[in-house]
Every structure is written in structure tokens, then in C-alpha cells.
Amino acid sequence: MQALLEVSLAIERNEFVSIVGPSGCGKSTLLRLIAGLIGPSSGKVTIDGSAIDGPRRDVGVVFQAPTLLPWANVLDNVLFPLKILHRLAPDSPAKGRELLRLVGLSDFERKMPSELSGGMQQRTSICRALITDPDILLMDEPFGALDALTREEMSLELLRIWQEQPKTIFFVTHSVPEAVLLADRVCVMTARPGRIIEIIDVPLPRPRSYEQESLQEFQNCAKRIRQHIFGDAAASARTGAA
Amino acid sequence: MLPLLAVLILGVAWEGAVLVFEIPVYMFPALSVIWSEFLTNVGLVAGHTVATLGTVMGGFALSIAISVPLAVLIASSPLMANAIYPLLVLTQSVPKVALAPILVVVLGAGEVPRLVVTFLVAFFPLVTSLATGLLTTPADLIELGRSYKATWWQELVRIRFPSSVPFMFNGLKLAITFAVVGATVGEFVAADKGLGYQIMAATAFFNTPAAFGALVILSLLGIVLFQAVVIIEKVFFSWSTPMEADLQ
Amino acid sequence: MAAAVLVAGLGFSTSVMALDEVNFQWSWIPTGFYAPISAGMAMGFYEDEGIDLTVSTGRGSGDAVKKVAGGGSPIGDGDISAVMSARAEEGAPVKCLMHEHNHSPHSLFILKSSGISHFKDLEGKTLATTPGNSHRNYFPIAARMAGLDPDTVSWTVVDATAMPSLLINKRVDGVPYFTSNASFVEPQAKAIGDELVIIPFADYGFDIYSYCIYARDDVIEEQSDMLQRFLKATVRSFVWARDNPEEAARLHKERWPDTKYEDNLAGWVDLSGNMFGKDKSKDWTGHYDMAKVQKTYDVLVESRGLNPDFDVTEVIHDSLLPQM
């Protein structure tokens, strides 16, 4: 079965791109293509002009579930990619601790994953993705399993990290406000077969905050996305309700 | 506390039943008779216990050494699994008591045939549970490894094995229990010492209390070794035991 | 000085090297039956013949024959019926080198209070047996010799551990045992104020061979010298133990601490009486009387359906025995 049809998307260095779309639109497939976890049946994905033929060192992935190793503590989980890549250096633990400090987990490096809340687990997994200093960060609905409050908190935290360590972020979500708030551009997809309907520029100034949700620019972007996904009438009803 | 009480009640019932129903000593000796027989031969029983313990641990180690690569092989491909599983089942359906004399003929009268019998009795649950653990490693952990281009070996050692630890300990708990049975079977068939030999010899010598004493020691040995595995899991692999277990 | 010590050391080690390491596969656990062997080992009789002897306990004659025939040990012991059956039925390469029992130790244990004193008294009675017990096979033959129709006796098959209690509780009228087991059952009969009566099958002319020492064919062919020395030491052990039964029982207990001195003594005295006569008057040599070997085989043909055309000389090789 064909999951994706004629998808064409160019992403700039250090750009933040969100992908929104209904379930089954192939946004996760697109992410896995870029991650090199699967190969395209036709066409190609390139990074800096070279085709992706497998997982790359300059790409980090954050999955929807934190997927932490239950037998390793927080710091060891963060250092896990370096171990696999044989890049564990004497200063690696310090670097891991610095990342944990960045996400507010300084006091938790010796804790086991089962002792952490869902949000803390996902923070750990973000640190793990960042430990290799990737140029590109692929995030597959990373906050999808978190409660609404934690979710807002985490997205702002992600923006702060992105500010401190600029990199290209490819952010898959099914939350429209989240997509708009975070991204420079929002890529809207529809289902069966999956394709990109429109790429919307978000003209909001940075730094962003959830207060910007009330701005007209924000509303316009959100409405346009919803129109693509749900159709015109449904979109205005939803906007009205919000 | 409750298990201790249960054992105590069992002991009293045992002693009482023998007294009340006047069960002859060669059928079912009273606990007190077994105890006094045990006390007069403590050194002897200790020697037999050490011999059996040696066979149990040797057979257990052999089971681990062979089960781990076997489980890896089974988990490596469905083809391998289909090829190996019938052979494993075959080793389980052959009665070890019938097999043991042949092993003695082939492998000589020493410790080796007993180790092999112990291994044959003990290794099966270890292989199957370890293979299950390797095969049911969460897919997202595997994908995590792949996203960093983990090699086959890294995936095995850093992801599949640690993730199989809870399964492995289930297998180890069964294997250590079966290893006690296996060592006893081996000693029944060919041995000049060990608790299995003692049970057999004491029965033939019409020394039923000594046979029962060896039986009790054998049960205790099984319980102690099982608990040792449980403790090792709790101490070194606490993440693999569910929290509820700690609350008990 | 140093050179002298070195030479002495070498001389010593070569004499140790000269000992043949031999494992003797017993057919059963170390009952008093084996006291002479333990005594001979302790007294150095085997070392005197250049043999470093070790023994392995067995789990029945069939088990021991299998272990020797399969190459586990060069020498074993056990009932000749097992050796004959293995050779005649499966071509197992084992031959008897010497006999231990002069006549069969098969017997029936009975309580005195039952009033039974002769096989003829068994009509309509019930006897116990264990699965595969040779007594069950031999009884009809011995019964007919005693003038009893064996079909008038009924049997109940039980576990070995249950046999003595069935007798003591008078659930059965008799249990079959080797005469050597008397010392185990007798105290239990005494405990209920009764007495044990033993009726040997041999009393009625059921005169067959029983326990023997056997070796594998290739050992007989290639190591006859070692076997000769082994047999010489073994015969010497038997004769010594005949004259020193208490000491033999004690030495056996020393090597096998699981055993009891009294049982060891009783077991050995029983075998000794079988070999040398109760008054030590018989000339036991271990050599076979071929007519009696044939008779033994005939019993197996009748009781177990072995091939009647088998040549019994194939299973006997007693020419390595020392002449006495």
C-alpha cells in the first residue's frame, strides 16, 4: 500500500517545521523516511544534497513514547547513543548532565525511568536525542502522551532549547495550536494517500508564548490548517468554539 | 511469618499422624525419628549434600552456558526456531531415567553423565523463556537502537539481553529447581555419593528415616537455591521486579 | 646427595606408574555382600597384584552388565542370568570369569506364626513381588520341584519399599528376598513378637548359579594378565574375609559410612555361607560346573523364554582363575 503520494518539501537549516494532519496521513512515515529507518519506494530524501540510505549521525529522533531503557538510569539513558556510536568520551557524562540541567532534571540523573513522571521521561528522551549534537532533530508526536498542562510546558521548553542550540527541527504533531506556536512553517497533510496540501508560513514573532494564541495571525494560521483538515464549515465551527 | 506457620502446622500434623495411626517407621517415619537419625549422621549427610550441590551448580552453569547461545539462535530467525524447537522438545519427552544409563556407558562413570542429566532436565525452561524474552523485546527499543545504527551484536547485548532479564530470571528460577531434580535423577542412576544416592541406598538398606532425611534436605536445597535466585534478581536487577513485589 | 634423591624419586614414581587403574562396576549399592572387596582394597591385596582398584556402585545386574558391555568399566558383577540374557538376546560381549554364589540365594521370607514351613504349605496363599523380580520367574520351577502346583499361589505386585510391611502386617503370606536380606527384615519380625522363617529355593533342588564376576570380551583378550591378577586378589580377599568376617565388615563400613556394621557382617556371613558352607567346609574356587551352567540357562529358557539353542560355553571364561 502506498502511504505517501508526491510529497515534496524543502527545509532550511535551523528551521522549525511542524507537520500536522489526521491519523493515517503518513506524517510518521515521512519522519521515518528522513530518519532513514525506512526507505522510499520511489523518489528520494536528501540531506545537504546526499540521499539518505540509513540512519545518520547528524540526525536525532524523539519518539512519541519516551522509549527509555528500563534497566538504565536517567544519565545512562542519555548517554546510550554515544555508547552505541562508540563516541563515549571522558567529558560525555558532564555533557549529559548539562543537557539534563537544561530540561530541569539535574537531581534525577541516578533515578530509574520507572521512578519518573511521563513528562520527565520525555525530557530525558529529548536529552538523549540531543547528546549526539545532531544538526537535525526529528520529533514524532513527542508530547502526544502527556497531559495538556505538561504539554504546554514542554513545548515552551523545546523552544528554549532550540534557541540555545539552534538546529533543524522536524516536528510531527496532531495538535494544531502546538504546530502553529512552535514552527516557522506548518506543513499540512491529508490522508489516504498521504500528501502535503499546503505549507503555511507562521508570521508570529519570536520568542513565542501561548499568549500569542489570541493574536489574529495565530488564528488565521490555525483556521487555514483546520480548513484543510476538516473542511470549511467544520473549521469555522471549531474556531468559534475555541 | 505465614509460611513458617504453615511449615510448623505441617510438622505437627506429620508427627501426630504417625503417632495416632501407628504408621510403621519403614513406611513413614515420624519427624522426630528423622531428626534424630539426621543428628547421628550429620557429617555424612553434609558430605552427600555438598556432592549434590556440586552437581546442581555444575548442571545449572552448563544449562546457562548452552541455553544462552541456543536462545540467541532461536531468536535469530523463524527458520532457526523451526529447526531447533522440535529437537528441544525431543530432549524433554525422552525420560531422563531411561537415558541416564546410556549416558553413563557413553560418558563414563564420573561426574559428566550426572551433569548432562542435570542439564537435560534443567535447560529447557531457560531456553524457551530467554528466547521469548529476546523475541518480545519492545519494538520501539529496537527502533531506538536502529536509529543509531546499532550493530547486530550491539542490539543483542545492549538492548535484547537486558530487556530479556525478567524472562531470563523466570527461566532461571525454573532451571535451578529442575537442576535439583536432575541431579537427583543422575544420582539415582549412577553415583556413589549425593542425596539421590543416599535416598536410594538408605531405602535399599531399610533405613527409611535416613531416606526421608535426605528427602527433606533435598527439598530445603531446592527452596534455598530458588530463593537465592530470587534475591540475586532483586538485588542486582531490581528494575525487572515489579514494585508490588517490594510491598509484600 | 641431590642426585641420589632424584634417582630415588624416579624409582618411586615408576613403581606407582606400574599399577593398572581398574574400575570394578558393582551391580548394587555397597551391601555387606561387597565387604570382601572393601577389605581386599584396604588390606592392599589389589596393590600387591599391581592393580589400583576403584569401584562404582550399580543399580541392578542389568544396569551393571550394560555399563560394562558398553565400555564403561572393564569388570563388573551381578546375577549370571543378566549376563546370559544380555549375551544370548543382544550379543552383549561379556563373559563370567568366576562365580560367587555356589547356589541360588533366592528364597521366600515367611513369618513363623503363619505355620508355613514348606512350599507345599503355600497352596491358596498370596505372595508379594516387585515388578521384574527374578523370584517371580523362578518360583514356578522351584515350586514344581517342591511338589507344589505354582498356579495355586497368587501374587500381588507392589513397590519394593512396601514389601516388608506387607509381610509384617500379614497382608501377604510371604515375600521373596535373597537370603542376604534377612538381617534387614528380621528385626521387624522380632518387633511384633514373631520370627522370620527363610525357605531357600535351593532346598528343593533349585540349584542354579547366581552372582558372578564378569568382564568384557576385548578385556579378556587384551588384558588377560590384568584380569588374572585381579581375580587372584579377589579370591584372596574372599578367603581372607571368610576367616576375618568382623574385620571385613568393619573395613567395609570404613569405606562406605552409609552402611551399618551389623548389616555388613550379616550380609557377608550369608554370602560366605553360600560360598564356603556355613561351617566353612566347602572348597569354593569360583570355577564353573558346566552342567550346572546349562541347568541355570535351562531355567532361563523356561522362565524367560531365552533362545534354547544358545551355547552356554560362550558366556563362561573361568580359566583365568587361580588354581586352588
Side-chain angles (χ1 to χ4, degrees):
Chain A
M1 205 197 94
Q2 203 166 9
L4 288 171
L5 192 79
E6 286 177 42
V7 170
S8 174
L9 173 67
I11 302 171
E12 299 296 316
R13 178 173 295 275
N14 293 345
E15 191 184 4
F16 199 128
V17 174
S18 291
I19 316 291
V20 276
S23 308
C25 71
K27 46 191 196 297
S28 286
T29 309
L30 189 58
L31 180 135
R32 279 176 162 67
L33 275 171
I34 303 172
L37 290 169
I38 52 173
S41 47
S42 65
K44 64 177 177 180
V45 187
T46 63
I47 293 177
D48 286 342
S50 57
I52 296 170
D53 54 356
R56 294 168 54 112
R57 289 186 164 207
D58 52 0
V59 175
V61 185
V62 178
F63 298 98
Q64 178 172 8
T67 55
L68 300 178
L69 309 173
W71 55 88
N73 65 32
V74 166
L75 184 62
D76 284 343
N77 262 293
V78 171
L79 298 178
F80 177 73
L82 297 181
K83 241 176 246 172
I84 293 291
L85 296 166
H86 300 292
R87 274 167 54 189
L88 202 64
D91 65 336
S92 298
K95 203 177 147 199
R97 287 192 187 98
E98 172 58 23
L99 284 170
L100 287 171
R101 190 194 55 75
L102 196 67
V103 300
L105 284 178
S106 286
D107 299 334
F108 295 86
E109 61 170 87
R110 297 275 154 226
K111 295 277 185 216
M112 299 305 270
S114 57
E115 299 171 280
L116 303 182
S117 69
M120 289 160 119
Q121 290 184 6
Q122 197 54 288
R123 284 190 185 111
T124 307
S125 91
I126 290 170
C127 290
R128 180 181 60 198
L130 293 175
I131 191 78
T132 57
D133 271 330
D135 297 328
I136 300 165
L137 191 58
L138 307 177
M139 308 185 83
D140 188 4
E141 300 182 28
F143 310 138
L146 305 178
D147 65 83
L149 288 176
T150 314
R151 197 172 177 147
E152 288 193 3
E153 188 191 335
M154 291 287 291
S155 30
L156 294 176
E157 208 155 81
L158 177 63
L159 284 177
R160 214 183 64 238
I161 293 168
W162 182 58
Q163 222 98 59
E164 281 190 38
Q165 303 186 354
K167 50 188 87 253
T168 311
I169 295 185
F170 184 88
F171 189 94
V172 172
T173 180
H174 48 224
S175 158
V176 175
E178 192 176 80
V180 175
L181 185 84
L182 290 172
D184 297 322
R185 287 190 291 158
V186 178
C187 186
V188 187
M189 295 183 72
T190 56
R192 287 186 233 319
R195 60 200 164 91
I196 296 175
I197 291 218
E198 195 189 353
I199 300 169
I200 300 166
D201 286 310
V202 181
L204 294 171
R206 291 191 187 270
R208 306 255 174 97
S209 74
Y210 272 89
E211 282 142 30
Q212 290 173 320
E213 266 188 299
S214 55
L215 296 179
Q216 193 56 44
E217 291 91 335
F218 189 102
Q219 301 280 338
N220 289 347
C221 285
K223 187 177 177 190
R224 194 155 178 79
I225 294 167
R226 290 199 168 95
Q227 276 171 348
H228 281 304
I229 298 174
F230 305 110
D232 289 331
S236 42
R238 276 165 196 265
T239 315
Chain B
M1 221 29 231
L2 204 65
L4 211 69
L5 196 71
V7 168
L8 204 72
I9 289 171
L10 181 75
V12 170
W14 182 335
E15 190 77 21
V18 170
L19 282 175
V20 170
F21 300 108
E22 293 180 358
I23 300 171
V25 69
Y26 45 82
M27 288 290 289
F28 201 76
L31 266 185
S32 53
V33 176
I34 295 171
W35 178 245
S36 66
E37 168 67 31
F38 171 75
L39 285 184
T40 52
N41 286 311
V42 163
L44 209 59
V45 178
H48 286 311
T49 309
V50 168
T52 301
L53 188 64
T55 307
V56 170
M57 294 319 287
F60 185 58
L62 192 65
S63 302
I64 296 173
I66 293 177
S67 296
V68 170
L70 217 50
V72 170
L73 222 57
I74 288 171
S76 65
S77 78
L79 197 74
M80 273 293 186
N82 287 337
I84 294 172
Y85 264 126
L87 293 176
L88 292 189
V89 173
L90 193 73
T91 65
Q92 294 314 290
S93 44
V94 172
K96 307 305 171 293
V97 184
L99 200 65
I102 302 164
L103 290 175
V104 174
V105 169
V106 176
L107 302 169
E111 178 73 9
V112 181
R114 286 190 291 278
L115 287 180
V116 172
V117 171
T118 308
F119 156 75
L120 283 173
V121 175
F123 85 109
F124 188 68
L126 192 53
V127 174
T128 50
S129 50
L130 192 52
T132 307
L134 292 173
L135 284 170
T136 54
T137 303
D140 50 0
L141 290 185
I142 300 289
E143 188 157 61
L144 172 74
R146 299 222 166 123
S147 74
Y148 291 106
K149 281 190 151 170
T151 61
W152 174 86
W153 179 250
Q154 284 180 318
E155 182 181 307
L156 184 69
V157 172
R158 300 229 176 258
I159 298 173
R160 287 192 189 267
F161 266 134
S163 152
S164 307
V165 162
F167 290 86
M168 193 178 73
F169 268 94
N170 275 341
L172 286 175
K173 283 174 212 164
L174 289 172
I176 194 76
T177 314
F178 287 165
V180 176
V181 176
T184 313
V185 169
E187 286 168 356
F188 272 142
V189 176
D192 300 324
K193 52 190 192 310
L195 293 168
Y197 167 79
Q198 201 195 359
I199 290 172
M200 212 222 42
T203 307
F205 284 137
F206 298 87
N207 187 356
T208 315
F212 268 82
L215 213 62
V216 171
I217 302 275
L218 210 49
S219 318
L220 289 178
L221 193 66
I223 294 170
V224 167
L225 290 175
F226 180 88
Q227 287 304 328
V229 174
V230 171
I231 288 169
I232 288 171
E233 182 179 18
K234 273 201 177 161
V235 171
F236 295 104
F237 302 94
S238 55
W239 55 268
S240 82
T241 44
M243 290 298 205
E244 300 91 80
D246 297 331
L247 296 174
Q248 280 172 9
Chain C
M1 187 59 203
V5 169
L6 188 65
V7 170
L10 280 174
F12 177 72
S13 71
T14 45
S15 84
V16 168
M17 294 275 283
L19 284 181
D20 288 314
E21 286 178 17
V22 178
N23 186 257
F24 185 10
Q25 175 65 57
W26 292 353
S27 64
W28 191 223
I29 55 167
T31 59
F33 183 94
Y34 293 109
I37 308 297
S38 293
M41 289 166 83
M43 300 291 292
F45 294 169
Y46 289 94
E47 273 167 44
D48 288 351
E49 299 298 332
I51 288 172
D52 176 16
L53 190 70
T54 53
V55 300
S56 297
T57 61
R59 305 295 184 260
S61 296
D63 170 70
V65 168
K66 215 180 278 173
K67 283 171 180 168
V68 171
S73 302
I75 308 169
D77 94 323
D79 198 285
I80 193 172
S81 65
V83 180
M84 285 175 156
S85 303
R87 181 122 206 163
E89 297 294 296
E90 296 175 349
V94 279
K95 282 182 177 159
C96 296
L97 305 176
M98 66 176 258
H99 75 257
E100 293 171 288
H101 290 105
N102 253 323
H103 53 80
S104 115
H106 295 88
S107 73
L108 200 61
F109 285 16
I110 282 163
L111 288 182
K112 195 170 188 186
S113 60
S114 71
I116 299 167
S117 62
H118 191 278
F119 269 21
K120 278 197 244 182
D121 303 331
L122 288 170
E123 206 176 306
K125 305 286 188 197
T126 302
L127 306 177
T129 182
T130 53
N133 195 320
S134 62
H135 287 85
R136 177 73 188 85
N137 296 321
Y138 295 159
F139 180 80
I141 300 166
R144 277 193 284 274
M145 288 174 165
L148 166 75
D149 176 3
D151 294 336
T152 60
V153 175
S154 50
W155 293 83
T156 170
V157 180
V158 298
D159 185 75
T161 52
M163 277 217 310
S165 68
L166 287 175
L167 179 71
I168 302 300
N169 292 322
K170 300 179 184 173
R171 298 291 167 85
V172 296
D173 302 291
V175 293
Y177 271 121
F178 279 2
T179 50
S180 56
N181 283 312
S183 69
F184 299 116
V185 185
E186 206 147 33
Q188 298 175 26
K190 288 229 169 78
I192 58 161
D194 213 322
E195 219 172 295
L196 193 65
V197 177
I198 297 170
I199 309 178
F201 287 18
D203 283 4
Y204 306 107
F206 183 78
D207 189 17
I208 65 170
Y209 284 118
S210 181
Y211 267 59
C212 69
I213 290 175
Y214 52 86
R216 209 169 45 247
D217 287 3
D218 64 284
V219 181
I220 293 172
E221 204 161 296
E222 290 157 22
Q223 303 181 60
S224 63
D225 172 63
M226 181 275 287
L227 288 180
Q228 254 170 346
R229 286 181 281 124
F230 169 82
L231 290 173
K232 194 174 164 199
T234 302
V235 170
R236 187 180 169 198
S237 301
F238 277 124
V239 172
W240 185 88
R242 174 195 67 186
D243 299 330
N244 306 276
E246 289 89 1
E247 189 63 5
R250 195 188 61 75
L251 291 170
H252 190 60
K253 161 85 183 165
E254 218 161 75
R255 181 173 286 270
W256 300 96
D258 279 309
T259 63
K260 288 192 183 126
Y261 168 79
E262 296 77 20
D263 293 339
N264 293 345
L265 185 60
W268 165 233
V269 166
D270 176 81
L271 175 63
S272 172
N274 193 313
M275 293 169 106
F276 301 102
K278 293 242 184 287
D279 52 1
K280 304 176 187 174
S281 61
K282 276 193 212 158
D283 287 331
W284 172 85
T285 65
H287 285 87
Y288 282 98
D289 167 0
M290 286 315 289
K292 191 161 149 184
V293 171
Q294 186 62 54
K295 199 169 149 191
T296 304
Y297 189 74
D298 290 345
V299 166
L300 294 179
V301 171
E302 190 182 340
S303 63
R304 295 187 192 176
L306 296 195
N307 171 20
D309 300 328
F310 178 72
D311 176 9
V312 293
T313 58
E314 259 186 55
V315 84
I316 303 296
H317 191 94
D318 61 359
S319 58
L320 296 175
L321 273 170
Q323 298 299 321
M324 297 214 302

